[in-house]
Amino acid sequence: MGVKIKESAISDAEFERMQQFVYDYLAASVEAEDDGGRMRWYPWHSAEYRFNHIQNVIEIATTIADREGAAVDVVRVSALFHDISKLEADQEVHAEEGARVAREYLQTHGDLPQSFINEVCQSVADHSYQGPLTDVSLETQSLIEADILDKIGANGTALILLRMGYESRSHTDAAEMVDRVLERGRNAKDRIASDTAESIAHQRLKRVKWFREWLESEVPAMSTAEKLTFTPDPEADDRITHGNIGVTAGTNADPDDSHTDSDSDSNSDTEIKTDTDTDTDSNINTNSPVDTHITD
C-alpha cells in the first residue's frame, strides 16, 4: 500500500503573497516609529534582519515539523507570522499582537478553513511560551524550537561578533563573545524536546565550539591568562621633546651639531624670485577688469 501524500493547503503563490505582506508590514512598522525606529542602529532591529530571521525559522521549523509529524502548513504559516509585530509592539505582547495581525490577514485573503486559521494563530500567540514544550501542540513546539535554534550556530555567532563593534570591543574579546553563543545554545538545548531539534542543536553547537577554538589558537592574546598592560612612564616627558628621543628637556644641545634656520638661509645658493619679479616678467595686465562670470 502506497503512502498517501497530503496536498498542501497553501500554494506557493499564496505563500509568496503572505511573505510580501509580512515584509511590507515590518518595513512600515519601522518607518512609522519616532526617531527612525526602535534601536534602528542595531541591525537586528531592522525590517531586513527581522525578515531574514523569519525566513530562517520557516526553514528550520518546516524541517522539524516534517520529521516529527506535525502539520507542515500550519507550522510554515505560523513561522511566517510569528514576529510580524516584533518591531511595533513591546516584547511582552508581540506574540499576541502577531496572532491578531495574522488572523486579520488570513480571514480576509483566500478561503482558508477556520480551523486552520485558529491553529496558526494559536501557535503564533504561544511562540514566546517559556514553559515545558510538552505543554504545547506539536506545531507550536516546532515553531518554538526553530526560533531558539536560529539564535545559535553560525547566525548567532555572526551577530554576536557584529555586536562587538557597538560595544567598542577589541578583536581579542571575540572568544569571550562566542562563549555567549555557546552558553545560550546550551541553555536552549535544555528546552528542546524533539529529536530533530536536538540533532540540529548538537551540530550547531559543535561548529561554534570549533570556531571558538580556532579563534583561541590563532589570536594569542585570547589564550593569555594575564594580558600585558603598560602604564605611562612619568619620566618619559623629560626624555622626549619634539620628537627627539634621548634628548633631555631643558638641556642645551651641542652647538656644533645644530644649524639654525638663519645659517641655512644665509648659505643658500637658491635664487628666490619675488612677487615683484614675477609681476614684471608676466604679460598679465593687472589693470584689466577681473572676469567674475561663472560658466553654468
Side-chain angles (χ1 to χ4, degrees):
M1 183 176 178
V3 178
K4 183 178 180 180
I5 300 176
K6 183 179 179 181
E7 184 178 354
S8 175
I10 306 295
S11 67
D12 291 341
E14 194 170 8
F15 195 70
E16 286 182 11
R17 287 193 292 271
M18 290 182 187
Q19 288 178 304
Q20 186 64 57
F21 170 77
V22 170
Y23 179 82
D24 291 343
Y25 194 97
L26 290 169
S29 297
V30 173
E31 294 299 329
E33 289 184 343
D34 295 334
D35 301 324
R38 180 170 66 96
M39 297 177 71
R40 197 172 184 179
W41 48 279
Y42 262 34
W44 40 95
H45 288 293
S46 67
E48 289 75 16
Y49 165 73
R50 187 54 48 188
F51 189 70
N52 179 259
H53 164 69
I54 288 172
Q55 296 288 82
N56 292 342
V57 172
I58 291 171
E59 182 178 354
I60 300 169
T62 300
T63 299
I64 296 172
D66 183 58
R67 295 179 183 176
E68 298 294 329
V72 173
D73 272 343
V74 171
V75 173
R76 287 179 72 218
V77 177
S78 62
L80 176 58
F81 281 93
H82 85 280
D83 268 356
I84 192 170
S85 294
K86 185 80 169 183
L87 301 180
E88 68 172 0
D90 292 336
Q91 173 66 19
E92 294 76 13
V93 297
H94 85 278
E96 291 81 0
E97 281 298 303
R100 179 187 61 78
V101 175
R103 185 176 297 279
E104 289 182 3
Y105 178 90
L106 296 174
Q107 287 181 335
T108 56
H109 294 75
D111 188 22
L112 296 170
Q114 190 61 45
S115 59
F116 176 85
I117 296 175
N118 290 341
E119 286 185 71
V120 168
C121 294
Q122 188 64 54
S123 290
V124 174
D126 291 343
H127 86 270
S128 292
Y129 178 67
Q130 296 300 312
L133 296 189
T134 52
D135 293 348
V136 297
S137 69
L138 190 55
E139 288 72 29
T140 302
Q141 176 183 311
S142 300
L143 171 57
I144 294 175
E145 288 179 334
D147 199 18
I148 291 171
L149 289 171
D150 187 50
K151 297 178 178 68
I152 62 177
N155 197 40
T157 303
L159 287 171
I160 204 71
L161 292 178
L162 182 62
R163 186 168 187 161
M164 290 175 62
Y166 298 116
E167 296 183 2
S168 300
R169 287 174 172 264
S170 164
H171 71 291
T172 57
D173 294 326
E176 176 190 340
M177 299 296 282
V178 173
D179 280 339
R180 296 187 190 181
V181 182
L182 286 171
E183 182 180 1
R184 173 184 285 181
R186 293 183 183 115
N187 292 337
K189 195 175 180 182
D190 292 339
R191 288 199 67 209
I192 286 172
S194 72
D195 291 339
T196 302
E198 186 175 356
S199 176
I200 296 172
H202 176 75
Q203 183 184 53
R204 291 188 170 204
L205 285 174
K206 182 187 293 186
R207 290 171 178 170
V208 175
K209 186 178 179 181
W210 286 344
F211 181 63
R212 197 230 182 269
E213 292 172 352
W214 183 23
L215 284 171
E216 195 169 56
S217 68
E218 294 196 12
V219 184
M222 290 185 185
S223 57
T224 302
E226 295 182 4
K227 296 182 180 179
L228 295 176
T229 57
F230 295 90
T231 56
D233 183 350
E235 298 180 359
D237 290 341
D238 293 334
R239 297 194 304 269
I240 303 174
T241 305
H242 301 300
N244 295 321
I245 308 300
V247 179
T248 304
T251 61
N252 295 324
D254 187 345
D256 293 335
D257 293 336
S258 64
H259 299 282
T260 63
D261 292 340
S262 58
D263 290 339
S264 299
D265 292 342
S266 61
N267 294 331
S268 175
D269 293 329
T270 304
E271 181 180 354
I272 301 175
K273 181 176 286 188
T274 65
D275 293 340
T276 304
D277 294 334
T278 303
D279 291 340
T280 303
D281 295 340
S282 173
N283 293 324
I284 298 175
N285 183 358
T286 57
N287 294 323
S288 61
V290 178
D291 184 4
T292 58
H293 175 69
I294 300 176
T295 305
D296 293 335

mmCIF file of all heavy atoms in Angstrom, residues 64-108:
data_model
loop_
_atom_site.group_PDB
_atom_site.id
_atom_site.type_symbol
_atom_site.label_atom_id
_atom_site.label_comp_id
_atom_site.label_asym_id
_atom_site.label_seq_id
_atom_site.Cartn_x
_atom_site.Cartn_y
_atom_site.Cartn_z
ATOM 1 N N ILE A 64 11.692 20.414 11.115
ATOM 2 C CA ILE A 64 11.284 19.745 12.355
ATOM 3 C C ILE A 64 9.878 19.171 12.213
ATOM 4 O O ILE A 64 9.622 18.009 12.575
ATOM 5 C CB ILE A 64 11.340 20.725 13.545
ATOM 6 C CG1 ILE A 64 12.781 21.177 13.791
ATOM 7 C CG2 ILE A 64 10.762 20.083 14.802
ATOM 8 C CD1 ILE A 64 12.911 22.290 14.822
ATOM 9 N N ALA A 65 8.957 19.972 11.686
ATOM 10 C CA ALA A 65 7.566 19.529 11.544
ATOM 11 C C ALA A 65 7.460 18.312 10.638
ATOM 12 O O ALA A 65 6.727 17.354 10.933
ATOM 13 C CB ALA A 65 6.720 20.671 10.992
ATOM 14 N N ASP A 66 8.202 18.337 9.544
ATOM 15 C CA ASP A 66 8.149 17.234 8.584
ATOM 16 C C ASP A 66 8.655 15.932 9.204
ATOM 17 O O ASP A 66 8.076 14.860 8.993
ATOM 18 C CB ASP A 66 8.978 17.602 7.354
ATOM 19 C CG ASP A 66 8.908 16.542 6.268
ATOM 20 O OD1 ASP A 66 7.789 16.244 5.813
ATOM 21 O OD2 ASP A 66 9.965 16.007 5.884
ATOM 22 N N ARG A 67 9.727 16.012 9.982
ATOM 23 C CA ARG A 67 10.321 14.802 10.566
ATOM 24 C C ARG A 67 9.598 14.330 11.826
ATOM 25 O O ARG A 67 9.651 13.150 12.165
ATOM 26 C CB ARG A 67 11.792 15.056 10.883
ATOM 27 C CG ARG A 67 12.645 15.307 9.651
ATOM 28 C CD ARG A 67 14.096 15.576 10.018
ATOM 29 N NE ARG A 67 14.894 15.895 8.842
ATOM 30 C CZ ARG A 67 16.175 16.243 8.888
ATOM 31 N NH1 ARG A 67 16.797 16.315 10.067
ATOM 32 N NH2 ARG A 67 16.838 16.528 7.771
ATOM 33 N N GLU A 68 8.928 15.269 12.501
ATOM 34 C CA GLU A 68 8.270 14.914 13.765
ATOM 35 C C GLU A 68 6.776 14.652 13.605
ATOM 36 O O GLU A 68 6.102 14.291 14.573
ATOM 37 C CB GLU A 68 8.488 16.024 14.796
ATOM 38 C CG GLU A 68 9.946 16.259 15.170
ATOM 39 C CD GLU A 68 10.569 15.072 15.896
ATOM 40 O OE1 GLU A 68 9.834 14.362 16.621
ATOM 41 O OE2 GLU A 68 11.790 14.851 15.740
ATOM 42 N N GLY A 69 6.257 14.842 12.388
ATOM 43 C CA GLY A 69 4.854 14.522 12.136
ATOM 44 C C GLY A 69 3.867 15.625 12.444
ATOM 45 O O GLY A 69 2.663 15.363 12.599
ATOM 46 N N ALA A 70 4.325 16.870 12.519
ATOM 47 C CA ALA A 70 3.418 17.995 12.750
ATOM 48 C C ALA A 70 2.800 18.439 11.426
ATOM 49 O O ALA A 70 3.266 18.062 10.346
ATOM 50 C CB ALA A 70 4.175 19.152 13.393
ATOM 51 N N ALA A 71 1.749 19.251 11.503
ATOM 52 C CA ALA A 71 1.099 19.781 10.301
ATOM 53 C C ALA A 71 2.007 20.854 9.695
ATOM 54 O O ALA A 71 2.118 21.965 10.231
ATOM 55 C CB ALA A 71 -0.263 20.364 10.660
ATOM 56 N N VAL A 72 2.641 20.525 8.576
ATOM 57 C CA VAL A 72 3.670 21.387 7.998
ATOM 58 C C VAL A 72 3.118 22.751 7.595
ATOM 59 O O VAL A 72 3.753 23.788 7.840
ATOM 60 C CB VAL A 72 4.338 20.692 6.791
ATOM 61 C CG1 VAL A 72 5.297 21.650 6.086
ATOM 62 C CG2 VAL A 72 5.077 19.442 7.245
ATOM 63 N N ASP A 73 1.941 22.789 6.980
ATOM 64 C CA ASP A 73 1.381 24.071 6.540
ATOM 65 C C ASP A 73 1.098 25.003 7.715
ATOM 66 O O ASP A 73 1.342 26.210 7.640
ATOM 67 C CB ASP A 73 0.098 23.843 5.738
ATOM 68 C CG ASP A 73 0.385 23.622 4.259
ATOM 69 O OD1 ASP A 73 1.504 23.958 3.830
ATOM 70 O OD2 ASP A 73 -0.497 23.116 3.549
ATOM 71 N N VAL A 74 0.577 24.442 8.790
ATOM 72 C CA VAL A 74 0.314 25.255 9.980
ATOM 73 C C VAL A 74 1.622 25.831 10.510
ATOM 74 O O VAL A 74 1.706 27.014 10.864
ATOM 75 C CB VAL A 74 -0.379 24.417 11.073
ATOM 76 C CG1 VAL A 74 -0.451 25.197 12.389
ATOM 77 C CG2 VAL A 74 -1.775 24.001 10.630
ATOM 78 N N VAL A 75 2.656 25.006 10.529
ATOM 79 C CA VAL A 75 3.956 25.440 11.044
ATOM 80 C C VAL A 75 4.572 26.502 10.137
ATOM 81 O O VAL A 75 5.105 27.515 10.618
ATOM 82 C CB VAL A 75 4.904 24.232 11.193
ATOM 83 C CG1 VAL A 75 6.314 24.696 11.553
ATOM 84 C CG2 VAL A 75 4.381 23.275 12.251
ATOM 85 N N ARG A 76 4.514 26.300 8.826
ATOM 86 C CA ARG A 76 5.099 27.269 7.884
ATOM 87 C C ARG A 76 4.452 28.641 8.021
ATOM 88 O O ARG A 76 5.135 29.669 8.104
ATOM 89 C CB ARG A 76 4.938 26.783 6.441
ATOM 90 C CG ARG A 76 5.838 25.645 6.040
ATOM 91 C CD ARG A 76 5.550 25.246 4.613
ATOM 92 N NE ARG A 76 6.026 26.228 3.656
ATOM 93 C CZ ARG A 76 5.383 26.565 2.534
ATOM 94 N NH1 ARG A 76 4.208 26.040 2.251
ATOM 95 N NH2 ARG A 76 5.909 27.440 1.708
ATOM 96 N N VAL A 77 3.134 28.667 8.052
ATOM 97 C CA VAL A 77 2.429 29.947 8.101
ATOM 98 C C VAL A 77 2.602 30.609 9.468
ATOM 99 O O VAL A 77 2.795 31.829 9.560
ATOM 100 C CB VAL A 77 0.936 29.761 7.761
ATOM 101 C CG1 VAL A 77 0.191 31.090 7.888
ATOM 102 C CG2 VAL A 77 0.778 29.209 6.344
ATOM 103 N N SER A 78 2.561 29.828 10.531
ATOM 104 C CA SER A 78 2.758 30.421 11.862
ATOM 105 C C SER A 78 4.185 30.944 12.011
ATOM 106 O O SER A 78 4.407 31.990 12.640
ATOM 107 C CB SER A 78 2.437 29.400 12.957
ATOM 108 O OG SER A 78 3.294 28.276 12.883
ATOM 109 N N ALA A 79 5.157 30.248 11.422
ATOM 110 C CA ALA A 79 6.543 30.733 11.458
ATOM 111 C C ALA A 79 6.673 32.045 10.690
ATOM 112 O O ALA A 79 7.409 32.953 11.102
ATOM 113 C CB ALA A 79 7.479 29.682 10.869
ATOM 114 N N LEU A 80 5.952 32.162 9.594
ATOM 115 C CA LEU A 80 5.998 33.384 8.797
ATOM 116 C C LEU A 80 5.444 34.580 9.565
ATOM 117 O O LEU A 80 5.981 35.688 9.489
ATOM 118 C CB LEU A 80 5.202 33.184 7.502
ATOM 119 C CG LEU A 80 5.054 34.399 6.580
ATOM 120 C CD1 LEU A 80 6.415 34.940 6.154
ATOM 121 C CD2 LEU A 80 4.216 34.036 5.355
ATOM 122 N N PHE A 81 4.394 34.366 10.340
ATOM 123 C CA PHE A 81 3.744 35.479 11.048
ATOM 124 C C PHE A 81 4.241 35.666 12.484
ATOM 125 O O PHE A 81 3.838 36.628 13.140
ATOM 126 C CB PHE A 81 2.224 35.261 11.076
ATOM 127 C CG PHE A 81 1.531 35.627 9.799
ATOM 128 C CD1 PHE A 81 1.302 34.670 8.815
ATOM 129 C CD2 PHE A 81 1.105 36.929 9.566
ATOM 130 C CE1 PHE A 81 0.661 35.003 7.626
ATOM 131 C CE2 PHE A 81 0.464 37.275 8.381
ATOM 132 C CZ PHE A 81 0.242 36.310 7.405
ATOM 133 N N HIS A 82 5.113 34.789 12.975
ATOM 134 C CA HIS A 82 5.382 34.788 14.415
ATOM 135 C C HIS A 82 6.006 36.086 14.934
ATOM 136 O O HIS A 82 5.772 36.473 16.073
ATOM 137 C CB HIS A 82 6.250 33.574 14.799
ATOM 138 C CG HIS A 82 7.721 33.759 14.642
ATOM 139 N ND1 HIS A 82 8.367 33.656 13.424
ATOM 140 C CD2 HIS A 82 8.693 34.037 15.556
ATOM 141 C CE1 HIS A 82 9.659 33.846 13.591
ATOM 142 N NE2 HIS A 82 9.894 34.088 14.867
ATOM 143 N N ASP A 83 6.791 36.787 14.120
ATOM 144 C CA ASP A 83 7.434 38.031 14.581
ATOM 145 C C ASP A 83 6.955 39.256 13.812
ATOM 146 O O ASP A 83 7.643 40.281 13.793
ATOM 147 C CB ASP A 83 8.960 37.915 14.448
ATOM 148 C CG ASP A 83 9.620 37.401 15.719
ATOM 149 O OD1 ASP A 83 8.909 37.209 16.720
ATOM 150 O OD2 ASP A 83 10.846 37.180 15.705
ATOM 151 N N ILE A 84 5.792 39.181 13.216
ATOM 152 C CA ILE A 84 5.338 40.294 12.380
ATOM 153 C C ILE A 84 5.144 41.576 13.187
ATOM 154 O O ILE A 84 5.293 42.689 12.666
ATOM 155 C CB ILE A 84 4.029 39.925 11.635
ATOM 156 C CG1 ILE A 84 3.725 40.967 10.552
ATOM 157 C CG2 ILE A 84 2.867 39.751 12.605
ATOM 158 C CD1 ILE A 84 2.609 40.572 9.609
ATOM 159 N N SER A 85 4.844 41.459 14.474
ATOM 160 C CA SER A 85 4.637 42.650 15.314
ATOM 161 C C SER A 85 5.840 42.965 16.194
ATOM 162 O O SER A 85 5.753 43.798 17.095
ATOM 163 C CB SER A 85 3.390 42.460 16.192
ATOM 164 O OG SER A 85 2.229 42.405 15.399
ATOM 165 N N LYS A 86 6.954 42.333 15.921
ATOM 166 C CA LYS A 86 8.147 42.483 16.761
ATOM 167 C C LYS A 86 8.654 43.921 16.804
ATOM 168 O O LYS A 86 9.178 44.377 17.824
ATOM 169 C CB LYS A 86 9.252 41.566 16.229
ATOM 170 C CG LYS A 86 10.507 41.516 17.071
ATOM 171 C CD LYS A 86 10.346 40.606 18.257
ATOM 172 C CE LYS A 86 11.662 40.353 18.950
ATOM 173 N NZ LYS A 86 11.530 39.409 20.077
ATOM 174 N N LEU A 87 8.511 44.648 15.700
ATOM 175 C CA LEU A 87 9.078 45.993 15.613
ATOM 176 C C LEU A 87 8.099 47.097 16.001
ATOM 177 O O LEU A 87 8.467 48.268 15.994
ATOM 178 C CB LEU A 87 9.604 46.242 14.191
ATOM 179 C CG LEU A 87 10.686 45.276 13.708
ATOM 180 C CD1 LEU A 87 11.114 45.618 12.291
ATOM 181 C CD2 LEU A 87 11.886 45.287 14.642
ATOM 182 N N GLU A 88 6.871 46.729 16.318
ATOM 183 C CA GLU A 88 5.894 47.760 16.680
ATOM 184 C C GLU A 88 5.295 47.557 18.068
ATOM 185 O O GLU A 88 4.689 48.471 18.621
ATOM 186 C CB GLU A 88 4.757 47.797 15.654
ATOM 187 C CG GLU A 88 3.866 46.565 15.662
ATOM 188 C CD GLU A 88 2.643 46.719 14.773
ATOM 189 O OE1 GLU A 88 2.502 47.791 14.150
ATOM 190 O OE2 GLU A 88 1.845 45.769 14.698
ATOM 191 N N ALA A 89 5.452 46.366 18.626
ATOM 192 C CA ALA A 89 4.855 46.073 19.930
ATOM 193 C C ALA A 89 5.940 45.770 20.955
ATOM 194 O O ALA A 89 7.064 45.416 20.604
ATOM 195 C CB ALA A 89 3.900 44.884 19.815
ATOM 196 N N ASP A 90 5.607 45.920 22.220
ATOM 197 C CA ASP A 90 6.545 45.561 23.280
ATOM 198 C C ASP A 90 6.816 44.062 23.242
ATOM 199 O O ASP A 90 5.953 43.266 22.842
ATOM 200 C CB ASP A 90 5.975 45.942 24.649
ATOM 201 C CG ASP A 90 5.895 47.451 24.835
ATOM 202 O OD1 ASP A 90 6.657 48.165 24.150
ATOM 203 O OD2 ASP A 90 5.071 47.901 25.653
ATOM 204 N N GLN A 91 8.010 43.687 23.680
ATOM 205 C CA GLN A 91 8.414 42.288 23.643
ATOM 206 C C GLN A 91 7.403 41.385 24.352
ATOM 207 O O GLN A 91 7.114 40.276 23.894
ATOM 208 C CB GLN A 91 9.800 42.148 24.290
ATOM 209 C CG GLN A 91 10.282 40.720 24.480
ATOM 210 C CD GLN A 91 10.536 39.996 23.172
ATOM 211 O OE1 GLN A 91 10.697 40.619 22.129
ATOM 212 N NE2 GLN A 91 10.565 38.668 23.231
ATOM 213 N N GLU A 92 6.847 41.867 25.449
ATOM 214 C CA GLU A 92 5.950 41.036 26.259
ATOM 215 C C GLU A 92 4.646 40.697 25.550
ATOM 216 O O GLU A 92 3.999 39.697 25.876
ATOM 217 C CB GLU A 92 5.632 41.735 27.583
ATOM 218 C CG GLU A 92 6.823 41.900 28.524
ATOM 219 C CD GLU A 92 7.766 43.015 28.086
ATOM 220 O OE1 GLU A 92 7.360 43.818 27.207
ATOM 221 O OE2 GLU A 92 8.896 43.084 28.592
ATOM 222 N N VAL A 93 4.245 41.520 24.580
ATOM 223 C CA VAL A 93 2.946 41.302 23.930
ATOM 224 C C VAL A 93 3.060 41.103 22.420
ATOM 225 O O VAL A 93 2.045 41.019 21.735
ATOM 226 C CB VAL A 93 1.991 42.487 24.218
ATOM 227 C CG1 VAL A 93 1.705 42.590 25.707
ATOM 228 C CG2 VAL A 93 2.560 43.794 23.682
ATOM 229 N N HIS A 94 4.286 41.017 21.891
ATOM 230 C CA HIS A 94 4.414 40.943 20.435
ATOM 231 C C HIS A 94 3.831 39.651 19.867
ATOM 232 O O HIS A 94 3.363 39.627 18.726
ATOM 233 C CB HIS A 94 5.878 41.098 20.006
ATOM 234 C CG HIS A 94 6.680 39.840 20.031
ATOM 235 N ND1 HIS A 94 7.250 39.332 21.186
ATOM 236 C CD2 HIS A 94 7.010 38.969 19.040
ATOM 237 C CE1 HIS A 94 7.898 38.214 20.903
ATOM 238 N NE2 HIS A 94 7.773 37.968 19.612
ATOM 239 N N ALA A 95 3.819 38.574 20.653
ATOM 240 C CA ALA A 95 3.255 37.309 20.174
ATOM 241 C C ALA A 95 1.741 37.423 20.002
ATOM 242 O O ALA A 95 1.183 37.009 18.970
ATOM 243 C CB ALA A 95 3.603 36.183 21.140
ATOM 244 N N GLU A 96 1.076 37.983 21.003
ATOM 245 C CA GLU A 96 -0.377 38.156 20.912
ATOM 246 C C GLU A 96 -0.750 39.124 19.791
ATOM 247 O O GLU A 96 -1.724 38.900 19.061
ATOM 248 C CB GLU A 96 -0.933 38.670 22.244
ATOM 249 C CG GLU A 96 -0.866 37.671 23.384
ATOM 250 C CD GLU A 96 0.505 37.600 24.041
ATOM 251 O OE1 GLU A 96 1.418 38.338 23.603
ATOM 252 O OE2 GLU A 96 0.665 36.799 24.980
ATOM 253 N N GLU A 97 0.029 40.199 19.658
ATOM 254 C CA GLU A 97 -0.233 41.156 18.580
ATOM 255 C C GLU A 97 -0.011 40.513 17.214
ATOM 256 O O GLU A 97 -0.748 40.769 16.262
ATOM 257 C CB GLU A 97 0.669 42.384 18.736
ATOM 258 C CG GLU A 97 0.195 43.365 19.788
ATOM 259 C CD GLU A 97 -1.168 43.936 19.437
ATOM 260 O OE1 GLU A 97 -1.315 44.526 18.346
ATOM 261 O OE2 GLU A 97 -2.095 43.780 20.248
ATOM 262 N N GLY A 98 1.010 39.675 17.125
ATOM 263 C CA GLY A 98 1.270 38.973 15.872
ATOM 264 C C GLY A 98 0.132 38.044 15.499
ATOM 265 O O GLY A 98 -0.248 37.936 14.324
ATOM 266 N N ALA A 99 -0.442 37.374 16.495
ATOM 267 C CA ALA A 99 -1.580 36.486 16.248
ATOM 268 C C ALA A 99 -2.786 37.274 15.746
ATOM 269 O O ALA A 99 -3.531 36.815 14.866
ATOM 270 C CB ALA A 99 -1.930 35.729 17.527
ATOM 271 N N ARG A 100 -2.971 38.469 16.295
ATOM 272 C CA ARG A 100 -4.092 39.312 15.857
ATOM 273 C C ARG A 100 -3.929 39.730 14.394
ATOM 274 O O ARG A 100 -4.878 39.648 13.603
ATOM 275 C CB ARG A 100 -4.177 40.558 16.747
ATOM 276 C CG ARG A 100 -5.299 41.517 16.368
ATOM 277 C CD ARG A 100 -5.221 42.799 17.172
ATOM 278 N NE ARG A 100 -3.975 43.523 16.948
ATOM 279 C CZ ARG A 100 -3.747 44.269 15.866
ATOM 280 N NH1 ARG A 100 -4.665 44.373 14.907
ATOM 281 N NH2 ARG A 100 -2.600 44.903 15.731
ATOM 282 N N VAL A 101 -2.711 40.153 14.030
ATOM 283 C CA VAL A 101 -2.451 40.564 12.646
ATOM 284 C C VAL A 101 -2.609 39.372 11.704
ATOM 285 O O VAL A 101 -3.194 39.491 10.616
ATOM 286 C CB VAL A 101 -1.039 41.167 12.514
ATOM 287 C CG1 VAL A 101 -0.724 41.485 11.053
ATOM 288 C CG2 VAL A 101 -0.908 42.423 13.370
ATOM 289 N N ALA A 102 -2.103 38.218 12.120
ATOM 290 C CA ALA A 102 -2.208 37.012 11.292
ATOM 291 C C ALA A 102 -3.670 36.648 11.048
ATOM 292 O O ALA A 102 -4.062 36.305 9.921
ATOM 293 C CB ALA A 102 -1.480 35.855 11.971
ATOM 294 N N ARG A 103 -4.482 36.730 12.077
ATOM 295 C CA ARG A 103 -5.899 36.382 11.933
ATOM 296 C C ARG A 103 -6.600 37.334 10.960
ATOM 297 O O ARG A 103 -7.376 36.904 10.098
ATOM 298 C CB ARG A 103 -6.594 36.410 13.298
ATOM 299 C CG ARG A 103 -8.049 35.937 13.261
ATOM 300 C CD ARG A 103 -8.648 35.889 14.652
ATOM 301 N NE ARG A 103 -7.977 34.931 15.508
ATOM 302 C CZ ARG A 103 -8.228 33.617 15.490
ATOM 303 N NH1 ARG A 103 -9.132 33.115 14.648
ATOM 304 N NH2 ARG A 103 -7.584 32.815 16.316
ATOM 305 N N GLU A 104 -6.320 38.621 11.092
ATOM 306 C CA GLU A 104 -6.939 39.599 10.192
ATOM 307 C C GLU A 104 -6.562 39.324 8.739
ATOM 308 O O GLU A 104 -7.404 39.404 7.838
ATOM 309 C CB GLU A 104 -6.521 41.013 10.588
ATOM 310 C CG GLU A 104 -7.139 41.504 11.886
ATOM 311 C CD GLU A 104 -6.723 42.929 12.215
ATOM 312 O OE1 GLU A 104 -5.995 43.543 11.391
ATOM 313 O OE2 GLU A 104 -7.117 43.432 13.280
ATOM 314 N N TYR A 105 -5.299 39.005 8.518
ATOM 315 C CA TYR A 105 -4.855 38.741 7.146
ATOM 316 C C TYR A 105 -5.476 37.450 6.612
ATOM 317 O O TYR A 105 -6.031 37.428 5.508
ATOM 318 C CB TYR A 105 -3.331 38.645 7.080
ATOM 319 C CG TYR A 105 -2.832 38.321 5.685
ATOM 320 C CD1 TYR A 105 -2.537 39.341 4.785
ATOM 321 C CD2 TYR A 105 -2.691 37.000 5.261
ATOM 322 C CE1 TYR A 105 -2.110 39.051 3.491
ATOM 323 C CE2 TYR A 105 -2.261 36.698 3.976
ATOM 324 C CZ TYR A 105 -1.972 37.728 3.093
ATOM 325 O OH TYR A 105 -1.565 37.432 1.810
ATOM 326 N N LEU A 106 -5.367 36.369 7.362
ATOM 327 C CA LEU A 106 -5.818 35.062 6.883
ATOM 328 C C LEU A 106 -7.328 35.010 6.660
ATOM 329 O O LEU A 106 -7.807 34.288 5.772
ATOM 330 C CB LEU A 106 -5.393 33.973 7.873
ATOM 331 C CG LEU A 106 -3.878 33.780 8.027
ATOM 332 C CD1 LEU A 106 -3.573 32.783 9.140
ATOM 333 C CD2 LEU A 106 -3.242 33.328 6.717
ATOM 334 N N GLN A 107 -8.069 35.776 7.442
ATOM 335 C CA GLN A 107 -9.525 35.772 7.282
ATOM 336 C C GLN A 107 -9.988 36.624 6.104
ATOM 337 O O GLN A 107 -11.117 36.457 5.631
ATOM 338 C CB GLN A 107 -10.194 36.267 8.566
ATOM 339 C CG GLN A 107 -10.141 35.262 9.709
ATOM 340 C CD GLN A 107 -10.824 35.765 10.969
ATOM 341 O OE1 GLN A 107 -10.947 36.979 11.184
ATOM 342 N NE2 GLN A 107 -11.265 34.841 11.811
ATOM 343 N N THR A 108 -9.147 37.505 5.635
ATOM 344 C CA THR A 108 -9.537 38.407 4.542
ATOM 345 C C THR A 108 -8.827 38.105 3.229
ATOM 346 O O THR A 108 -9.042 38.802 2.238
ATOM 347 C CB THR A 108 -9.256 39.868 4.933
ATOM 348 O OG1 THR A 108 -7.874 40.009 5.292
ATOM 349 C CG2 THR A 108 -10.127 40.284 6.111
#
